[in-house]
Amino acid sequence: MMLPLVLLHGFLGSGDDWQDVRRHWPNQRALISPNLPDAQTLAGSEDSANIEVYSRYAWEQLQTNLPEQFHLLGYSLGGRIAMHWASQATGRIQSLLLESAHPGLPNQAARRERLIQDRQWAQRFASEPLSEVLHDWYQQAVFQDLSDCQRTQLISARRRQDPAAMAALMRVTSLGEQADLMTQLSQQKTFKAYITGGQDAKFMATAQALQAQKPCLKLVLFDTLGHNCHAGAPAAFAERISHLLSNEERPS
């Protein structure tokens, strides 16, 4: 039986970000790509809100419209949320696949530095012209593989969003307030694969570190791509993930 695949988008994205993957999907498996909920309620009412709190909130908002059992694939921020769902929704998630998702910073100093950076970004999203902030956002090293045309297209698509919502999500989901989940992930039985681009050195290192702790973990590598593999090569991405899931479901 083909279980559905739930796809969680990254920061600044939406469920529509998976349209090209859906277009190239090679079989009849159902693909479900919800929009992650607004974080402004949490950001405005709870100073202690973080990625764990937001992940529970997102699950509460979305789970009634999700299948009883499903595979789960999250990209970047969506992958970090998926990590938390995998421990919160035991029994419903058949397998966990992560694309360019950070398991957490290893020490308090690194988390403190990242929290400062993310709060600065949140302030910029909330107060500065959005096109200028997005231009600077997509100049970060993690997006170095993007062409000028791709950056322009992303900025054009993202600038229609609500800056206050962007700022709230950045504050609530800062990597600076996330626990280091590396060991927990390595022990998570449902965690089956990590997907990354060969040109994304930061997340290649993350993939290798995870695989060192969990040797049975499948590493799905797209040699010529950077941070966002599903956008960079949707047809190849769809083919490889479809094949991986079919193998997972095959009786041993």
Side-chain angles (χ1 to χ4, degrees):
M1 180 178 109
M2 282 189 181
L3 291 177
L5 172 61
V6 174
L7 301 156
L8 299 184
H9 62 80
F11 180 64
L12 302 183
S14 72
D16 289 343
D17 290 356
W18 300 98
Q19 283 184 345
D20 287 343
V21 171
R22 186 184 301 277
R23 191 174 298 118
H24 292 287
W25 197 257
N27 58 39
Q28 297 304 306
R29 186 185 305 278
L31 302 182
I32 301 166
S33 52
N35 291 323
L36 292 170
D38 194 321
Q40 290 185 82
T41 299
L42 293 179
S45 65
E46 188 175 344
D47 290 340
S48 61
N50 57 21
I51 182 70
E52 185 176 356
V53 172
Y54 177 77
S55 296
R56 285 199 300 269
Y57 174 71
W59 176 255
E60 290 165 2
Q61 295 295 307
L62 298 173
Q63 61 94 14
T64 55
N65 293 319
L66 298 179
E68 188 58 33
Q69 284 200 316
F70 55 91
H71 301 288
L72 178 62
L73 192 163
Y75 161 67
S76 197
L77 172 59
R80 292 167 55 214
I81 293 165
M83 296 175 201
H84 289 85
W85 280 16
S87 60
Q88 295 166 0
T90 54
R92 291 188 64 178
I93 297 171
Q94 179 70 21
S95 63
L96 171 66
L97 295 79
L98 302 176
E99 178 189 358
S100 304
H102 205 303
L105 297 167
N107 58 67
Q108 190 59 41
R111 287 192 285 273
R112 187 163 48 248
E113 181 179 353
R114 178 58 181 265
L115 184 59
I116 292 170
Q117 292 172 356
D118 287 347
R119 285 176 175 172
Q120 289 172 343
W121 276 114
Q123 180 61 31
R124 291 195 64 192
F125 277 117
S127 62
E128 297 182 20
L130 188 54
S131 292
E132 294 179 15
V133 183
L134 288 170
H135 175 272
D136 292 345
W137 178 262
Y138 286 114
Q139 292 296 327
Q140 294 181 96
V142 73
F143 301 117
Q144 65 182 356
D145 65 304
L146 294 175
S147 67
D148 289 342
C149 180
Q150 288 171 321
R151 283 191 179 86
T152 299
Q153 289 174 342
L154 280 169
I155 291 168
S156 178
R158 304 315 194 203
R159 68 186 178 190
R160 293 190 289 270
Q161 297 185 34
D162 178 2
M166 294 175 171
L169 189 60
M170 172 62 75
R171 287 195 297 271
V172 169
T173 64
S174 172
L175 189 62
E177 296 206 56
Q178 177 179 308
D180 182 0
L181 302 178
M182 180 75 76
T183 299
Q184 179 179 319
L185 268 176
S186 69
Q187 298 170 351
Q188 176 62 256
K189 291 182 179 179
T190 59
F191 182 30
K192 301 297 184 181
Y194 194 92
I195 306 153
T196 191
Q199 303 305 306
D200 187 345
K202 176 179 177 179
F203 285 91
M204 271 295 299
T206 298
Q208 290 162 355
L210 283 165
Q211 197 174 48
Q213 288 204 26
K214 188 180 178 75
C216 63
L217 182 69
K218 296 179 178 66
L219 178 57
V220 182
L221 176 63
F222 293 85
D223 292 322
T224 62
L225 300 180
H227 190 62
N228 190 333
C229 299
H230 70 267
F237 187 95
E239 180 64 36
R240 291 182 68 177
I241 301 307
S242 173
H243 181 71
L244 188 155
L245 293 178
S246 294
N247 284 342
E248 282 296 318
E249 292 171 344
R250 191 166 293 135
S252 56

